[in-house]
């Protein structure tokens, strides 16, 4: 029973690993974000292939940056 619990914990830790983006990946995401802060599924798929990261990571990046933009607008 402990084995399954520890395995589940390891899987959870693996899922929460932070991704490290290269500067070129960040630049590409910023350019796309300026064009459209809400990319559709096809755009996320295209970016995932182009950048070599998962669609869910791209979706998370866009969500984070939309939140940052909204907070900056609210602060002003």
């Amino acid at each position: 029973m402990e084995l399954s619990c520890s395995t589940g914990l390891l899987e959870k830790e693996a899922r929460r690993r932070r991704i490290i983006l290269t500067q070129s990946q960040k630049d590409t995401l910023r350019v796309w974000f300026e064009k459209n802060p809400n990319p559709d599924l096809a755009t996320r798929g295209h970016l995932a292939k182009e950048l070599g990261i998962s669609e869910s990571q791209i979706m998370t990046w866009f969500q984070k940056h939309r939140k940052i933009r909204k907070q900056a607008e609210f602060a002003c």
Side-chain angles (χ1 to χ4, degrees), residues 5-60:
C5 291
S6 64
T7 303
L9 182 61
L10 292 175
E11 289 174 5
K12 189 174 184 179
E13 288 176 2
R15 279 187 296 175
R16 293 185 181 212
R17 260 189 16 222
R18 180 178 295 218
I19 61 166
I20 310 279
L21 298 174
T22 64
Q23 190 61 45
S24 64
Q25 289 172 323
K26 291 177 191 177
D27 293 341
T28 303
L29 287 169
R30 284 188 189 112
V31 167
W32 278 92
F33 184 79
E34 291 304 317
K35 291 179 186 177
N36 180 12
N38 295 300
D40 60 3
L41 184 62
T43 304
R44 288 195 309 262
H46 170 75
L47 285 170
K49 287 181 183 178
E50 183 180 328
L51 300 176
I53 58 178
S54 71
E55 286 183 39
S56 63
Q57 291 169 327
I58 290 173
M59 185 174 63
T60 302

